[in-house]
Amino acid sequence: MVGRGGSGGKVVGAQAQDAAGAGGTPGAGARGDAGAAEPGAVARPTSRDVARLAGVSHTAVSFVFNGRADGNLSAETQRRIREAATELDYRPNAVARGLRSRRTAVIGLVTDHIASSPFAGALLRGAMETAWEHEHLLLTVDSSGDAAKEDAAVAELLDRRVDGIVYAAMSLRRADRLPKGLDRTPFVLANCLPPEGSPHAAVVPAERAGGRAAARLLLDAGHRRLALVGGLDDIATAERLRGFRDALRGAGLRAAAEDVVRTGGEISAGYEGGLGVLDRPRPDRPTGIVCYNDRVAAGVLHAATRLGIDVPGEVSLVGYDDQEHMAAFLNPPLTSIALPHRTMGEEAVRLLLDAIGARRAPEARVRKLECPVVVRESVGIGPGARR
């Protein structure tokens, strides 16, 4: 992993082993092009060692590890070569193979606040595992939201000849600027919209559809007066509110002005907003609440408890984010709309690798990924449900 800023951290790189394994010409001695070993060091196995053990030519080994075996070698010969390589724990030299193919099998990921985001792990796991499945390494840089560090990180990754870069944001936003040099390599944006008037490949959550799904869940349970609590001055809030209003409009309903309260995104904001919509006579309060996120939902639960209002008996809640270590452990366990962070990581890397393989830029369009509903126990039957 590259440290913050990209220039002073530890970098995972390919180790030179044997240029001949990638189709190169071996040097003198049994170690091929890996060079002389340090005194007392154990020599790494070479492609010539594999050839001797398998009883084949060195060229045959090169065919197998350069993807040229089909049509040149029998299936039995290929099997013997791979078994010999496994027995010797041989790996082809990625550096030499990269020189030959003009690729390094390494991609970069630059992000803004990975260390402070509860969702970063899922996006990273999706990106790393997809890269690994395609025999690529992922180098990750956390810029802490510093534009100069982002520029330095991209420059460092380009110097290391990465095949492409994923640029990821902690929370959905539009990139006012992209790091300098990013356009010198294939790249995909994750959880981040391209700058206005600058089309690029991006994968983001379908936030409007998520807000619609949250409200639809409550409407389908028989709730007719809904509230939306929490929110910030950001894209996610605006899109979720649009989806919320879409669902109500589709049911022939509208939310009262006093039932849409933008109080923030933390537990305290949920508590404040929850008191605002629930501390009313029963006929005047909503029976279903969509919350900006799961932290806000936790605050609304606290407010309901203080007011003696049962959840989900008297009021139902739907959260958003499906935050790990929180949503499932509230009382009652929270029904929530999950953000597709892992899928974003997977899809961003897949799009990038497809473009690299085709030797073209990724298709410049924004892909919106579904936000799944995770049903738990915070939604009950509303007064409008059919009996």
Side-chain angles (χ1 to χ4, degrees):
M1 179 174 286
V2 182
R4 293 190 182 187
S7 58
K10 183 179 178 182
V11 178
V12 178
Q15 294 179 323
Q17 289 188 20
D18 176 26
T25 303
R31 295 186 186 91
D33 282 349
E38 293 294 329
V42 178
R44 295 188 182 97
T46 70
S47 58
R48 293 187 179 278
D49 297 328
V50 174
R52 279 192 292 271
L53 182 60
V56 300
S57 69
H58 176 245
T59 300
V61 175
S62 294
F63 277 164
V64 168
F65 289 103
N66 284 315
R68 298 165 55 199
D70 291 344
N72 289 308
L73 301 174
S74 68
E76 172 60 22
T77 299
Q78 292 182 51
R79 183 189 63 77
R80 292 208 319 271
I81 291 170
R82 294 192 184 282
E83 287 182 352
T86 300
E87 183 176 337
L88 294 172
D89 195 22
Y90 166 78
R91 288 185 301 154
N93 182 352
V95 172
R97 186 165 55 184
L99 289 172
R100 189 168 184 270
S101 66
R102 296 188 177 182
R103 297 181 194 165
T104 58
V106 178
I107 59 177
L109 187 148
V110 178
T111 188
D112 49 12
H113 289 95
I114 202 169
S116 60
S117 169
F119 310 107
L123 192 151
L124 269 179
R125 282 193 299 273
M128 287 191 293
E129 290 178 11
T130 302
W132 191 254
E133 287 169 6
H134 292 81
E135 300 182 341
H136 279 66
L137 291 179
L138 186 76
L139 301 186
T140 304
V141 187
D142 182 350
S143 71
S144 301
D146 185 312
K149 286 183 179 179
E150 287 186 348
D151 292 347
V154 168
E156 178 74 15
L157 291 170
L158 292 174
D159 284 346
R160 294 177 187 276
R161 301 175 62 86
V162 296
D163 294 335
I165 294 175
V166 173
Y167 180 77
M170 177 187 72
S171 56
L172 179 62
R173 61 179 174 83
R174 185 173 296 280
D176 295 326
R177 70 180 293 277
L178 295 175
K180 292 178 182 177
L182 192 62
D183 57 357
R184 290 170 49 197
T185 190
F187 70 92
V188 174
L189 308 179
N191 205 30
C192 181
L193 292 166
E196 290 284 3
S198 181
H200 295 294
V203 289
V204 300
E207 295 280 17
R208 185 169 183 170
R212 189 162 49 242
R216 186 78 260 167
L217 191 69
L218 293 168
L219 292 168
D220 288 347
H223 298 278
R224 289 296 174 266
R225 181 161 184 174
L226 305 188
L228 191 148
V229 174
L232 305 168
D233 184 17
D234 62 6
I235 293 171
T237 296
E239 288 295 290
R240 294 172 194 179
L241 177 58
R242 288 191 185 101
F244 175 81
R245 293 192 190 282
D246 288 345
L248 287 175
R249 190 163 46 249
L253 301 170
R254 291 183 61 186
E258 64 269 22
D259 289 341
V260 177
V261 290
R262 183 183 296 184
T263 51
E266 299 303 324
I267 293 175
S268 58
Y271 182 74
E272 175 190 347
L275 289 177
V277 299
L278 293 175
D279 193 9
R280 306 173 188 169
R282 186 163 186 167
D284 297 330
R285 70 185 185 221
T287 63
I289 301 176
V290 174
C291 301
Y292 170 70
N293 61 26
D294 295 344
R295 297 189 299 280
V296 167
V300 175
L301 274 172
H302 284 309
T305 299
R306 176 179 172 179
L307 296 170
I309 297 172
D310 181 67
V311 177
E314 297 175 80
V315 65
S316 293
L317 300 183
V318 178
Y320 211 108
D321 294 350
D322 193 36
Q323 186 168 336
E324 192 176 13
H325 309 308
M326 173 174 280
F329 298 97
L330 294 174
N331 184 25
L334 184 66
T335 291
S336 187
I337 308 299
L339 283 172
H341 282 95
R342 184 186 182 96
T343 307
M344 280 193 287
E346 293 170 345
E347 186 66 12
V349 168
R350 192 173 294 114
L351 287 171
L352 185 61
L353 293 177
D354 286 348
I356 291 167
R359 298 186 182 275
R360 57 168 173 75
E363 184 184 357
R365 70 181 181 91
V366 175
R367 293 160 177 81
K368 296 184 178 182
L369 306 182
E370 179 187 4
C371 300
V373 176
V374 181
V375 176
R376 295 192 179 93
E377 300 172 27
S378 62
V379 175
I381 301 300
R386 293 179 181 177
R387 302 294 180 178

